[in-house]
Amino acid sequence: MLGFSNGYFGWAENASGTMVHVGEVERGLACGCYCVTCSRPVLARQGTKRIWHFAHRADTTCEGESALHRAAKAVLVEAAEQQLLIRLPSGLTPRLEAATTESPIGKTRKADVLATIGGRSYGIEIRVTHAKNQAARDDYAVADVEAFEIDLRKVPHHLDRGELTRAVLDGADRHWLYKRGLPNRTPRAHSARTARPATRPESYEEITNKVIDYLTSRNGQNDPFVSWPVIRADGITRLAASQAQWERGTVSPKLYMVRRPGIYTSRESGGPRLRIEGKVATPKGVARVDVELVFDIISPSAVERPTLLIVCPGILVESSWPGALFMQWHGIDSWRDKLTSIYHSTDV
């Protein structure tokens, strides 16, 4: 599963019960956060070699699977407070006007989120692992509350608040659980007689070329579901900073060209990695960088200059695949120092 859980999770609960992203808190135990699955203290690991994540303070078998589920519900409530638009499975994008979590539906079920969308009530279920069964569909049908499920299985567990909000409101796959006028049954797999011909799996080279072509295109540059990583000045957090401070103290470089063909190196597991030279552009300037595309969570090879690590899913056939990419910068200490100097300068 692309979510990359395995004990690495990007969301936790702070002392006041608010869901926070690892990029919004202080480093280490100073974050004052707790795992939403087991309620144990967690550390915010914000190093330069691995993806930023929360980790349990002590050895445990808990993998924090509930964190993304809870975070998704929280961002829906926040989106309702801001009256943002949300995409329904039908493709319509009405306004999300109100949202409450764990609201009763009939006598036996609670909706993950009960929302008012475009003046109508909807139940919203969040899928991180298991899908809702036929009993859930029946409960919504009996209560006559239209409901849909948002599927986050392909969403990395480390998306920050803005990225997760975009995925939940529009980018992630979704389908109806109950919709008036549609059959109320769990979709079944095609039988052997009616199954469609299998799609030929894409090769690693095809995937990497597809990713590079898209990210360097105008569509990729402007795609709201491509999670270009943000580089932040030291001492700035999204929750504490004003919009003006955030814009001054952060930058999100975007890849606009590469020098092909690059160098492929094989690995024993997880597929090959591609290393290629490129250039990124920001409002603050242009810089040469290295780009590494990999197929599992690993650190880049020896970093000689700023390196953009791109973790790709194994198959890129779904329409929402750009939102499944995970990207992280390495070797950018000089960039961060310069940004920090600008942010804290009294002349700015």
Side-chain angles (χ1 to χ4, degrees), residues 187-256:
R188 295 181 179 179
H190 294 286
S191 67
R193 292 183 179 180
T194 61
R196 297 177 181 178
T199 303
R200 180 183 65 82
E202 295 176 296
S203 69
Y204 286 118
E205 185 172 355
E206 287 173 328
I207 293 173
T208 53
N209 283 331
K210 187 174 183 178
V211 170
I212 289 293
D213 288 343
Y214 188 75
L215 292 181
T216 54
S217 70
R218 179 172 297 180
N219 288 338
Q221 299 288 304
N222 299 320
D223 191 335
F225 305 114
V226 174
S227 301
W228 294 101
V230 176
I231 301 172
R232 305 179 305 162
D234 290 339
I236 185 173
T237 63
R238 189 66 184 93
L239 291 182
S242 67
Q243 184 61 32
Q245 290 173 324
W246 182 255
E247 291 177 357
R248 190 175 76 232
T250 63
V251 66
S252 182
K254 295 183 178 180
L255 187 68
Y256 74 92

